[in-house]
Amino acid sequence: MFFLISIFIDAGAGFLSALPFLILLEVLAGKQIPFLPLKHLIGCGIFCGFLSVVLSVTGVPAVYEMRFDVGINLLPFAGLTSNTLQYIENILLFLPAGALLPLLYKKFQKLSRCALYGFLFSLAIELMQLFCFRTTDLDDLLMNTLGTITGFGIFALLQKLYPPVADEFSIPAEKAEKLPALFELEVHFLTAAAWAGALLLTPVIKNIIWALVLSAQS
């Protein structure tokens, strides 16, 4: 029970930490890009929230918490037989990235580009774990990338069954060409908002939520 509560608190803190940066991004972008479909904006919020939750749950430290603590596993599939569940969890963790990216952006409807994003995002997490109590693990990187690829497969299947699905959440090519060049960087801004929250606010919000939970139980 305590484990589930901890996961929910980590996830909630991650989402709330990115919210101020996401709102700021939408305000600034709104001045440059006056109109984007509501479904696309909602999808962007979900995507940014997902990234924030991943950063929080994986224990990315804030800048003021960083302590160099080397723990590295470069041996692939070293714990496959002893901790199979962890491999499954790492696949599932990045599955939404592979599904949301091509849903929101036409340019990510290529498996290679989508997989590269998942790989680089996971690599950044693993490198940040050199500065906390977590272990930088090659297996995590491989499984996270596989999870992104699996998510892309789910998107491809959904699009085959219901072709208009991507058009409902992404920007049609003819309209995208008329948008400012800033729009091309939207996915990077969303990623930056998630990282800003993780590096600056997540631990503070976690402490506040834990304090509220403990006080409610006492």
Side-chain angles (χ1 to χ4, degrees), residues 125-173:
I125 292 174
E126 295 304 316
L127 292 176
M128 288 300 296
Q129 288 179 345
L130 290 171
F131 301 92
C132 65
F133 64 92
R134 302 263 181 144
T135 299
T136 298
D137 198 327
L138 176 62
D139 284 345
D140 291 349
L141 179 60
L142 294 175
M143 293 304 103
N144 291 161
T145 306
L146 179 58
T148 307
I149 294 172
T150 304
F152 183 90
I154 292 175
F155 163 78
L157 177 61
L158 181 61
Q159 188 180 37
K160 186 174 182 179
L161 295 174
Y162 181 62
V165 65
D167 294 332
E168 294 181 3
F169 289 89
S170 62
I171 310 297

Side-chain angles (χ1 to χ4, degrees), residues 9-21:
I9 289 177
D10 284 352
F15 177 78
L16 291 174
S17 67
L19 196 57
F21 299 100

Side-chain angles (χ1 to χ4, degrees), residues 3 11 18-19 27 29 33 41 49 56 58-59 61 77 88 111-112 121 125 128 130-131 143 165 176 198 209 212-213:
F3 175 76
L19 196 57
V27 170
I33 307 174
L41 293 175
S56 179
T58 54
F77 308 112
I88 298 173
L111 176 59
S112 58
F121 191 77
I125 292 174
M128 288 300 296
L130 290 171
F131 301 92
M143 293 304 103
V165 65
I209 296 176
L212 292 174
V213 171

Side-chain angles (χ1 to χ4, degrees), residues 103-120:
L103 183 67
L104 295 171
Y105 303 101
K106 296 287 187 182
K107 64 182 180 180
F108 281 99
Q109 291 179 5
K110 292 182 179 180
L111 176 59
S112 58
R113 182 170 290 180
C114 194
L116 180 61
Y117 179 94
F119 173 83
L120 292 176

